[in-house]
Amino acid sequence: MLNYILMLVFLFVFPVILGKLLSDVCFKSESRWFWLLNGWIILFAIFEIISVPLIFTKKTLDQLCIYYSVALLIAFIILFIVKTMRRPEKKKNIPKKKWNGLEIIVMICAIGIIVFQVFFVVFKTHMDADDTFYIGNAVTSVKTNLMFQIDPYTGAELTELPMNYVFSPLPMFWAYISKVTGVHPAIIAHIFIPMIFIPMSYGVAYMIAKRIFGDARLEISLFMVLYAVLQQYGYVSVYTASTFLLFRIWQGKAMLANVFLPCLLLLGDTALKKDSKKIQCIPLLFASLATCCCSSMGVILGGIEMALLVVVYFCSSKKVPVLCRGIMVCIPYVILGCAYVLIKL
């Protein structure tokens, strides 16, 4: 029981605390949904930075656990110190518009659909063929204390590292959580991750809807209902984003499509505006690293999306600082993309 409590603390409470600190430092007035999202962005970004060199040098999982835990502690201390040193801004007493009856009913319908989806994903069984690799790699690493050095299909020692996954080491993240909490990677993936990431996916959609509709709560609520219904009945193919959200959200490509690519759009709209502050690029830079951590496709798709955002906002603002900030947040994609090419040659 203590293991599961520790798991919820690590997967929910700690990311919320980290995200709250980052939001206070960079945004000040953004939605509370940003707290959990920013927290997971930090977790994945730091993991990408720490894990890739350790995997290439064939260090053990225990060493990764030590280095990554220390890095998280340092990140927490830095964010806490910066938040403490910053002068608190005066809060504007803006009266909040109250929800009317129709808006409440429509939003409850949206929340009900989302809870229904989470319930079935968590409490019903779904077998996915890709688990033999993703979950298999995590289990193998926990049992052998090695990272990407054992074939999860056969148990034989690999002669070379699987380069498509070394730069996007999400299975090692599940192995890290399993090692720290003592919970099996399959339980983490099939039960706890959907409880966090399905609502977080809808949270990103909600924040995007707020950017589109502003304070029009009825329109936002209707958008969420429509979005949730489309996701629920989107299993027209095994390749749709809906399928990945509700059937395999614990896999990196599913997180990429449903959480982190929309997150880039959301954070890019915040950080690349002509009147945005330089410090608001930090979450966007972390999000760039997080997309790379999730999936190798994140390096390509995330890089393309970020480049398009930079071009659009630079052309609309014609401000050189916007272009400079855009180039900075594209650095992870350039470095990892070049590394992929050089290794494949």
Side-chain angles (χ1 to χ4, degrees):
M1 187 64 182
L2 183 61
N3 292 346
Y4 296 111
I5 295 174
L6 180 61
M7 168 104 57
L8 288 175
V9 169
F10 186 84
L11 296 182
F12 183 77
V13 177
F14 185 61
V16 167
I17 294 173
L18 273 181
K20 173 68 165 60
L21 291 174
L22 185 63
S23 295
D24 287 345
V25 169
C26 299
F27 297 117
K28 294 295 182 184
S29 61
E30 284 291 1
S31 168
R32 288 182 175 84
W33 280 107
F34 260 104
W35 297 355
L36 182 61
L37 179 63
N38 280 337
W40 274 97
I41 287 172
I42 295 172
L43 292 183
F44 280 160
I46 296 177
F47 190 80
E48 176 76 3
I49 295 171
I50 299 296
S51 63
V52 172
L54 294 180
I55 293 170
F56 266 107
T57 53
K58 296 187 177 181
K59 302 298 183 182
T60 65
L61 181 62
D62 285 342
Q63 289 175 303
L64 173 63
C65 292
I66 294 171
Y67 295 146
Y68 181 57
S69 299
V70 171
L72 287 180
L73 180 61
I74 293 173
F76 173 80
I77 293 172
I78 291 174
L79 286 173
F80 183 78
I81 292 174
V82 173
K83 178 186 179 299
T84 305
M85 292 176 63
R86 284 173 66 87
R87 293 179 180 178
E89 295 182 358
K90 294 182 179 180
K91 294 183 178 180
K92 298 179 181 179
N93 295 322
I94 302 175
K96 292 185 178 180
K97 179 183 174 183
K98 293 184 178 180
W99 290 69
N100 62 42
L102 181 59
E103 292 169 347
I104 293 173
I105 292 172
V106 177
M107 184 56 76
I108 288 175
C109 290
I111 295 172
I113 296 170
I114 296 168
V115 171
F116 175 82
Q117 293 173 0
V118 174
F119 174 84
F120 268 81
V121 174
V122 171
F123 292 98
K124 301 296 181 179
T125 302
H126 171 68
M127 301 298 178
D128 189 87
D130 285 347
D131 280 359
T132 54
F133 184 84
Y134 293 103
I135 306 302
N137 250 316
V139 174
T140 301
S141 296
V142 172
K143 297 298 182 182
T144 64
N145 202 28
L146 302 173
M147 297 186 292
F148 290 122
Q149 297 180 44
I150 304 295
D151 190 333
Y153 298 120
T154 64
E157 186 174 354
L158 294 172
T159 56
E160 59 182 16
L161 293 171
M163 292 304 170
N164 287 346
Y165 300 98
V166 169
F167 289 107
S168 304
L170 189 64
M172 295 304 104
F173 187 80
W174 307 143
Y176 165 79
I177 296 176
S178 177
K179 196 81 171 181
V180 170
T181 63
V183 179
H184 195 279
I187 298 175
I188 296 171
H190 283 258
I191 295 178
F192 289 96
I193 296 306
M195 290 171 59
I196 301 295
F197 274 85
I198 292 178
M200 191 157 66
S201 172
Y202 283 107
V204 174
Y206 174 78
M207 289 186 286
I208 292 175
K210 285 188 68 175
R211 297 286 176 89
I212 297 172
F213 299 110
D215 294 328
R217 288 175 173 169
L218 180 59
E219 284 79 358
I220 294 173
S221 302
L222 289 170
F223 172 86
M224 292 305 298
V225 170
L226 178 61
Y227 182 72
V229 170
L230 289 174
Q231 292 284 42
Q232 184 159 316
Y233 294 99
Y235 187 34
V236 295
S237 164
V238 295
Y239 302 110
T240 63
S242 305
T243 303
F244 278 80
L245 173 67
L246 299 179
F247 286 167
R248 49 169 83 180
I249 188 60
W250 51 88
Q251 296 173 11
K253 48 197 172 185
M255 293 181 176
L256 178 70
N258 288 286
V259 178
F260 291 107
L261 289 182
C263 170
L264 285 181
L265 180 64
L266 184 69
L267 294 175
D269 180 62
T270 301
L272 298 178
K273 290 180 178 179
K274 61 182 179 181
D275 56 346
S276 62
K277 299 178 181 179
K278 294 179 181 179
I279 198 170
Q280 291 176 336
C281 286
I282 294 176
L284 187 57
L285 180 62
F286 284 162
S288 298
L289 286 165
T291 57
C292 298
C293 180
C294 288
S295 172
S296 57
M297 290 303 298
V299 179
I300 302 171
L301 297 178
I304 292 173
E305 181 181 353
M306 187 57 61
L308 290 174
L309 285 172
V310 173
V311 170
V312 169
Y313 280 96
F314 175 66
C315 291
S316 63
S317 66
K318 297 180 176 61
K319 298 288 185 180
V320 176
V322 173
L323 180 61
C324 294
R325 291 198 295 268
I327 293 173
M328 183 190 72
V329 297
C330 286
I331 289 175
Y333 300 117
V334 174
I335 293 175
L336 291 175
C338 291
Y340 269 118
V341 173
L342 291 175
I343 289 172
K344 291 296 183 180
L345 290 178

